[in-house]
Amino acid sequence: QTLQLTMPELRFSSNGELLPTGNYPIDISTSIDVVGDDLPAMQVKGKIAGDLAALDITQQADGDLIAVLKARASDIKEEINWKAELGITGLPRDMLPVGAQYGLAFDMTASGDTRQATAGILIKTGERYGSDLTLNGDVQFDPLQFKLQGVWKKLQWPLAGLPMVAALDGKLEASGNQDDYQLTLSTDTIGQNMPMGKWSVVARGNSNQMTVETMHGDLLDGSVDIQGEVSWLPELAWKAGFNAKTINPGVFNPEWPGDINFATSTEGKIVNEQLQAQIQLEQLDGNLRERKLSGAGAVQIAGKQVQIEGLNISSGQASIKMDGGVGDTMNLNWQLQIPDLADLLVDASGG
């Protein structure tokens, strides 16, 4: 039997037979042509063959998307078992903004039944496959439990050329369920406008919120530690603390050597599409370009209104002090002192 279906975006045709007797044997060839202006142009050809004891599915896509799918389902009448393999070697250019010469390889294998499933994914990108990501996961359906492990090397964006940001080496582990999951992550990072850093994260959460128990970064000859929590239901809200020790900006820009310590905290939420937040600068000390650095203060934000409380920052003899509000009404008192521009600017002198 032959079936043909034509729509503006695609054309579908099939040829074969399905016998409604016994184990319902089937042998059908299929063809799909995608021709929509807003869709990737491709042709998918394949075959569905077998019966309820064992059913094989193969599909191959050519065009903007180049992929091969092979799957088998068995014991369909009793307790279905399945396995599948998917390989992708080409994506539409708007999904993979690099030339074909840089390459892509996506391979996934998965298997399971009505109680559980496992999957493994290997993704390689970049010239001569310089970047790769491996993911392996298991899920149990009743009760729902999952476990995920990931390892990567030289991941970057964009996928080719000079990276804006890159995760050189890293790994991820996560496990639990939607009501209580845990994750750990470690990775080395670098980018065009960011210093090299080594980061580790330990967090736990549920479908409504996540708590970052520890987030530690080694960078700029110093360290950064972050703890906090963020929730997205019933509303977006957060609370976090940041502590940095012996930060030397000169590692990133030699004109700004220093040894800086600072501690800040923040909490806030979005209410009726309005930001409500507070930021507290609890500590700022050390030196920057051989000038003593200090600071403290707080900022309150309520929609369009910003309230500054006791903000006092100094570098050498230069200082700025601010108190008051800015918004629909303004009541801001401020004092700026710069006896020597060299306290603020490189290669400057005088007042």
Side-chain angles (χ1 to χ4, degrees), residues 196 198 216-225 243-248 251 259-261:
M196 179 178 290
K198 187 177 184 66
H216 178 83
D218 293 315
L219 69 163
L220 296 175
D221 288 346
S223 63
V224 175
D225 288 283
N243 288 275
K245 296 180 180 179
T246 65
I247 296 297
N248 177 14
V251 175
D259 185 355
I260 302 172
N261 307 297

Side-chain angles (χ1 to χ4, degrees), residues 131 154-168 190-194:
S131 304
K154 296 181 181 178
L155 294 184
Q156 70 169 67
W157 185 260
L159 299 177
L162 188 64
M164 294 178 59
V165 61
L168 302 181
I190 193 171
Q192 290 184 23
N193 297 305
M194 60 184 289

Side-chain angles (χ1 to χ4, degrees), residues 301-324:
I301 302 173
K304 297 180 180 180
Q305 193 68 30
V306 179
Q307 187 71 25
I308 302 172
E309 301 174 356
L311 182 63
N312 186 348
I313 298 176
S314 64
S315 173
Q317 300 181 61
S319 66
I320 183 170
K321 299 179 181 180
M322 301 181 71
D323 263 297

Side-chain angles (χ1 to χ4, degrees), residues 55-267:
L55 184 66
D56 291 311
I57 300 173
T58 59
Q59 298 289 320
Q60 180 168 337
D62 291 296
D64 288 344
L65 174 67
I66 304 173
V68 176
L69 171 66
K70 297 180 180 179
R72 163 169 278 213
S74 57
D75 299 328
I76 298 175
K77 290 194 299 183
E78 302 296 332
E79 182 174 323
I80 186 171
N81 291 275
W82 59 272
K83 61 181 180 180
E85 298 178 2
L86 173 64
I88 300 175
T89 55
L91 287 174
R93 186 169 295 274
D94 58 352
M95 296 180 64
L96 184 68
V98 297
Q101 70 271 22
Y102 293 106
L104 165 73
F106 176 100
D107 293 294
M108 182 184 73
T109 59
S111 62
D113 53 35
T114 57
R115 298 184 304 272
Q116 58 81 38
T118 63
I121 296 175
L122 173 62
I123 303 173
K124 294 186 176 184
T125 63
E127 192 170 11
R128 294 185 298 275
Y129 298 140
S131 304
D132 65 68
L133 167 66
T134 301
L135 295 172
N136 292 289
D138 301 278
V139 60
Q140 176 183 302
F141 299 126
D142 188 19
L144 180 64
Q145 294 284 332
F146 72 89
K147 185 176 182 180
L148 175 67
Q149 294 179 321
V151 179
W152 56 87
K153 179 182 67 175
K154 296 181 181 178
L155 294 184
Q156 70 169 67
W157 185 260
L159 299 177
L162 188 64
M164 294 178 59
V165 61
L168 302 181
D169 292 282
K171 62 180 181 179
L172 166 72
E173 294 185 357
S175 62
N177 56 53
Q178 62 182 3
D179 297 319
D180 182 17
Y181 62 83
Q182 306 82 39
L183 69 85
T184 61
L185 179 148
S186 62
T187 188
D188 299 331
T189 60
I190 193 171
Q192 290 184 23
N193 297 305
M194 60 184 289
M196 179 178 290
K198 187 177 184 66
W199 293 90
S200 62
V201 179
V202 177
R204 66 184 307 131
N206 55 43
S207 58
N208 297 332
Q209 63 86 33
M210 175 185 289
T211 298
V212 178
E213 297 178 349
T214 61
M215 181 175 182
H216 178 83
D218 293 315
L219 69 163
L220 296 175
D221 288 346
S223 63
V224 175
D225 288 283
I226 302 172
Q227 293 179 310
E229 58 187 48
V230 59
S231 60
W232 41 90
L233 290 175
E235 61 190 7
L236 179 62
W238 68 90
K239 183 177 182 180
F242 304 80
N243 288 275
K245 296 180 180 179
T246 65
I247 296 297
N248 177 14
V251 175
F252 191 64
N253 186 337
E255 293 185 331
W256 293 89
D259 185 355
I260 302 172
N261 307 297
F262 67 88
T264 63
S265 61
T266 178
E267 60 180 297

